Amino acid sequence: MPASKRDQLLATAERLFYEQGFHATGIDRIVAAAGVVRMTLYNHFASKEALVAAVLKARHERFIASLDAAMAVAPPGQATRALVDAHGRWLERYSQHGCIMAQAMGEFAEHSAEIHALATAAKADLLARIEAAVVRDGLVPHAGLARRLFMVLEGSNTAVVILGMQTALADTRAVTDALLAAARSETP
């Protein structure tokens, strides 16, 4: 089934925003790459900012769904590790150049409180998922564990650009394993 014009615009805009930046990507470039006319874009999105918000929301929903799916099938005691592995698979498939939410926070900090808040909320949602995984694994008494794991995952978003995908993911797994082993060794 062919994608709707709205979905086509979202996919094209997401790719261009990620590759070229939000402010550097103009509406004319998006409609040309999507193979639609400008009016089609404005029939679906009231403004470029509305398009950016829709792109970020759709991408975040897909990301969170991939984490939730991995945690749902994780064996007992392995929800956190499943979440970390799902994050790594997401990086390999969609985020080889870093995190689009961090990019949005940087580009919109001074230009759009709404977009900045949307990206910030996405990060808070990730932290909440990590906290849920830690609780599910019975590691809740370890203060700061979820926060530390969040820092590791956020660091991996940037590290892929500097260290390369395989090294960044291997180091992410190693640090995660060390944090989880330490937490489990302290569990009564």
Side-chain angles (χ1 to χ4, degrees):
M1 179 158 121
S4 72
K5 294 291 183 188
R6 184 180 192 282
D7 292 342
Q8 189 176 336
L9 282 163
L10 281 172
T12 301
E14 180 179 332
R15 179 179 54 80
L16 293 173
F17 290 151
Y18 186 68
E19 292 172 357
Q20 301 172 4
F22 295 97
H23 294 329
T25 304
I27 293 296
D28 290 335
R29 174 78 178 103
I30 295 167
V31 296
V36 300
V37 296
R38 185 183 272 260
M39 191 56 159
T40 301
L41 185 140
Y42 288 116
N43 283 338
H44 294 284
F45 306 100
S47 63
K48 182 179 176 183
E49 188 171 313
L51 175 60
V52 169
V55 163
L56 293 178
K57 286 176 187 173
R59 185 175 175 105
H60 181 63
E61 287 170 5
R62 289 192 323 271
F63 172 65
I64 289 299
S66 72
L67 299 182
D68 289 347
M71 287 192 306
V73 298
Q78 295 298 312
T80 305
R81 181 55 191 236
L83 180 144
V84 170
D85 289 344
H87 181 272
R89 287 189 299 275
W90 179 271
L91 288 179
E92 287 178 311
R93 187 160 184 199
Y94 301 109
S95 294
Q96 303 86 3
H97 307 294
C99 178
I100 198 170
M101 295 299 170
Q103 181 182 353
M105 286 188 285
E107 285 196 44
F108 288 98
E110 301 296 322
H111 301 286
S112 171
E114 178 187 343
I115 298 296
H116 187 269
L118 184 68
T120 302
K123 295 299 182 180
D125 197 15
L126 172 59
L127 178 56
R129 288 307 195 286
I130 297 168
E131 290 168 345
V134 165
V135 167
R136 183 171 160 198
D137 288 343
L139 300 172
V140 73
H142 301 283
L145 177 60
R147 243 185 10 262
R148 290 180 188 101
L149 291 166
F150 174 78
M151 296 292 291
V152 171
L153 295 185
E154 286 302 300
S156 70
N157 290 335
T158 302
V160 298
V161 179
I162 307 301
L163 302 175
M165 186 64 69
Q166 297 315 310
T167 301
L169 293 181
D171 289 351
T172 297
R173 287 182 193 108
V175 173
T176 297
D177 288 346
L179 287 169
L180 291 174
R184 286 187 174 105
S185 72
E186 297 171 9
T187 300

